[in-house]
Amino acid sequence: MSPVLKPAAAYPATRLRRPRAHAWSRALFAEVTLSPADFIWPLFVTEGTGERTPVSTMPGVERLSVDLVAEAAKEAESLGIPCIALFPHTPPERRTADGREALNPDNLTCRAIKAIKAAAPGIGVLTDVALDPYTTHGHDGLLSDDGRILNDETIEMLQGQALVQARAGADIIAPSDMMDGRVGAIRKVLEAGSFHDVQIMSYAAKYASAFYGPFRDAVGSGGFLKGDKKTYQMNPANADEALREVALDIAEGADSVMVKPGMPYLDVIARVKDAFNIPVFAYQVSGEYAMLETAAQAGLIERDRMIIEALTAFRRAGCSGILTYYARDAARLLG
Ligand code: PBG
């Protein structure tokens, strides 16, 4: 970022309102742009056909069966959205303490990947790697008898999960579990499996956040969660530590990194972009969406302007793109 230069001439020679006077001029002076090509659209997948179930904590968001996910992907492609992110709502009877459904090549995520690839071959598919949609305790990793999340044992599961997703056709593997060393371990099995072109977008700086509440309802893990995720997700007080997380993930082979949540962590996004100048993504998470959307639906803020302003802020902070539940609505607004 460039330092603020001392104006060569002060008022009245310099009037910063001058370029703001007309719409054409405001457009010309814009420092960043926002387009549908900046969005990754997260979708929740559920069993059945022709099935849509509203997520009560996220007004306007629905879980979709695999066939409808494919339809949504086609729509996204036609709107210019380059990528879909998938999150499964695993039936309770398929959840176990070890989350082994994550390794099932026929699980909801894998079926959704294949259906999207058949319906909309031009769109990218990003898949989440973590065990929480599959475990009976709602944690992202394996839980020991004395209640600890086991790092290295979890990594073996995540390697298997990533491989199953890559075989089904995933384009971007996105580990959201925050185990130490998982990016390198996943890169290793992808290389060994000849998935050289499958990318890794690491949830590098993922905070232990209250803003994930509605998501846990959407994937059905909230009711299960025992305790909290503070021994693996980051302390919201820390930003220097985010740079260490990002440095490690790049060294381990991440193609891009993510900061999550988004709006409360714009400073972290800006620092990561400044420090590494690599592709950085933000996740505008479920709680941010719920907060903004309920305010809009209550008539408290102007919805369309709010959506574009909130998303533009991520671009200004340095993001290449944004995972957002507003992807379709924003693409329509921009279109
Ligand atoms: C879980 C995961 C979470 C989200 C994405 N992947 C929740 C969590 O860590 O508990 C949150 C997304 C959102 O809130 O929109 N691995």
Side-chain angles (χ1 to χ4, degrees):
M1 244 170 259
S2 48
V4 175
L5 301 174
K6 217 174 156 199
Y11 171 87
T14 300
R15 288 179 185 264
L16 291 178
R17 289 185 56 190
R18 215 176 277 133
R20 292 178 205 144
H22 308 284
W24 63 262
S25 181
R26 291 191 290 273
L28 200 58
F29 277 65
E31 296 175 27
V32 295
T33 57
L34 184 70
S35 97
D38 301 325
F39 304 145
I40 297 175
W41 190 20
L43 296 176
F44 298 109
V45 197
T46 194
E47 288 290 351
T49 38
E51 193 69 38
R52 346 173 143 260
T53 44
V55 177
S56 60
T57 51
M58 300 176 71
V61 173
E62 300 169 314
R63 300 184 196 104
L64 303 174
S65 52
V66 169
D67 56 316
L68 296 183
V69 165
E71 288 304 310
K74 268 203 267 187
E75 190 186 356
E77 195 177 28
S78 71
L79 286 166
I81 296 169
C83 189
I84 298 286
L86 294 173
F87 297 95
H89 179 260
T90 309
E93 66 275 13
R94 295 203 157 264
R95 296 179 197 228
T96 55
D98 63 1
R100 75 181 83 97
E101 177 67 4
L103 308 181
N104 174 5
D106 201 34
N107 67 21
L108 268 177
T109 297
C110 292
R111 277 181 277 143
I113 298 167
K114 289 178 191 159
I116 293 175
K117 287 293 165 189
I123 204 162
V125 180
L126 176 153
T127 50
D128 200 74
V129 166
L131 299 181
D132 56 311
Y134 310 98
T135 55
T136 40
H137 44 71
H139 280 290
D140 295 27
L142 297 171
L143 195 58
S144 72
D145 293 338
D146 57 349
R148 288 172 304 118
I149 299 298
L150 300 168
N151 195 88
D152 299 9
E153 293 82 346
T154 297
I155 285 180
E156 278 181 45
M157 292 289 287
L158 302 177
Q159 287 177 310
Q161 184 181 15
L163 268 181
V164 152
Q165 294 173 348
R167 286 190 195 115
D171 299 293
I172 306 179
I173 302 293
S176 70
D177 55 285
M178 289 299 278
M179 296 303 114
D180 285 325
R182 91 280 206 213
V183 170
I186 290 170
R187 189 71 264 167
K188 195 171 130 203
V189 292
L190 289 177
E191 288 297 319
S194 295
F195 294 108
H196 308 299
D197 292 335
V198 171
Q199 300 179 29
I200 296 178
M201 179 187 293
S202 71
Y203 287 70
K206 176 172 176 178
Y207 289 87
S209 172
F211 286 93
Y212 308 147
F215 171 95
R216 292 178 190 166
D217 175 49
V219 299
S221 69
F224 292 105
L225 184 62
K226 294 190 177 69
D228 57 46
K229 301 191 176 184
K230 290 179 186 168
T231 69
Y232 46 107
Q233 299 179 349
M234 284 180 56
N235 181 345
N238 297 356
D240 291 342
E241 188 187 339
L243 301 186
R244 298 183 70 194
E245 284 283 2
V246 167
L248 286 169
D249 287 359
I250 297 169
E252 291 177 32
D255 300 281
S256 58
V257 295
M258 193 200 299
V259 173
K260 176 187 175 193
M263 197 149 71
Y265 297 89
L266 290 171
D267 60 320
V268 177
I269 294 168
R271 285 187 62 184
V272 169
K273 187 66 188 176
D274 267 2
F276 299 100
N277 200 22
I278 46 145
V280 181
F281 290 79
Y283 199 143
Q284 183 189 48
V285 299
S286 57
E288 296 174 63
Y289 172 86
M291 173 173 77
L292 297 171
E293 188 60 18
T294 48
Q297 291 194 8
L300 303 178
I301 48 179
E302 209 183 307
R303 187 172 185 273
D304 294 357
R305 286 184 60 199
M306 169 277 285
I307 293 173
I308 299 303
E309 181 177 340
L311 294 172
T312 301
F314 293 116
R315 297 276 295 148
R316 193 190 63 238
C319 282
S320 299
I322 309 116
L323 288 91
T324 172
Y325 301 100
Y326 279 124
R328 178 174 54 186
D329 288 346
R332 284 179 181 152
L333 288 172
L334 294 165

